[in-house]
């Protein structure tokens, strides 16, 4: 039996991933809304958060980044990285959102301090401000998307 995967978009929060495999006679439907909202996906969000922390750490604490990944402006890079970390943290720890965001802000500050000892890097507190802005934007976006996805599941 041949494995097949496809997607179908039916509306906001209704992106469905259909998977067929050797163990399944019928496709299993999985909506993006279910992945966003269902508690059973918490471990996946935690794994994503940890992977993002490792990626940001490696990119931030090397004299020269492994990859040339940039949005064109250093502060935008910081804001986007911490927005993404914030989204993952808020989904991984929904009942401890403020604490998760505070821990990420502390992590951003620690990166800035550690960069003082990395050749070719320097601490820039404006970077920490961009980190904070990214985290601050993550909270209302997560709240809005969660509300919309929750409504689409009803």
């Amino acid at each position: 039996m041949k494995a097949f995967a496809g997607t179908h978009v039916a509306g906001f929060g209704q992106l469905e991933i259909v998977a067929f495999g050797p163990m399944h006679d019928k496709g299993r439907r999985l909506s993006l809304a279910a992945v966003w909202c269902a508690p059973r996906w918490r471990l996946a969000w935690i794994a994503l958060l940890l992977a993002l922390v490792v990626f940001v750490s490696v990119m931030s604490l090397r004299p020269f980044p492994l990859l040339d990944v940039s949005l064109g402006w250093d502060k935008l890079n910081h804001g986007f990285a911490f927005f993404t970390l914030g989204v993952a943290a808020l989904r991984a720890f929904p009942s401890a959102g403020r604490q998760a965001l505070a821990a990420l802000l502390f992590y951003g500050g620690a990166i800035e301090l550690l960069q003082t000892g990395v050749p070719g890097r320097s601490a820039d507190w404006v970077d920490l401000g961009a980190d904070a802005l990214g985290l601050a934007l993550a909270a209302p976006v997560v709240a809005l998307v969660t509300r919309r996805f929750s409504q689409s599941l009803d």
Side-chain angles (χ1 to χ4, degrees), residues 45-70:
W45 285 106
I46 291 170
L48 175 62
L49 175 62
L50 291 175
L52 289 169
V53 166
V54 168
F55 178 76
V56 168
S57 298
V58 168
M59 294 298 287
S60 300
L61 297 174
R62 292 183 49 86
F64 301 99
L66 291 173
L67 303 170
D68 186 21
V69 179
S70 179

Side-chain angles (χ1 to χ4, degrees), residues 4-10 14-20 28-30:
F4 170 80
T7 59
H8 171 70
V9 179
Q14 296 300 314
L15 174 68
E16 294 178 338
I17 301 167
V18 183
F20 295 94
R28 293 183 302 165
R29 296 193 184 281
L30 178 65

Side-chain angles (χ1 to χ4, degrees), residues 92-119:
F93 304 104
S95 61
R98 287 183 184 178
Q99 294 89 337
L101 294 180
L104 286 172
L105 188 58
F106 178 80
Y107 165 68
I111 286 174
E112 294 305 319
L113 289 174
L114 291 170
Q115 283 182 337
T116 61
V118 177

Side-chain angles (χ1 to χ4, degrees), residues 68-91:
D68 186 21
V69 179
S70 179
L71 297 173
W73 183 39
D74 182 55
K75 304 315 175 233
L76 188 58
N77 293 338
H78 279 265
F80 181 74
F82 277 80
F83 172 81
T84 306
L85 286 165
V87 168
L90 290 167
R91 295 314 308 144

Side-chain angles (χ1 to χ4, degrees), residues 117-141:
V118 177
R121 299 282 187 156
S122 62
D124 184 354
W125 298 111
V126 179
D127 288 349
L128 186 61
D131 298 347
L133 183 59
L135 292 170
L137 291 173
V141 169

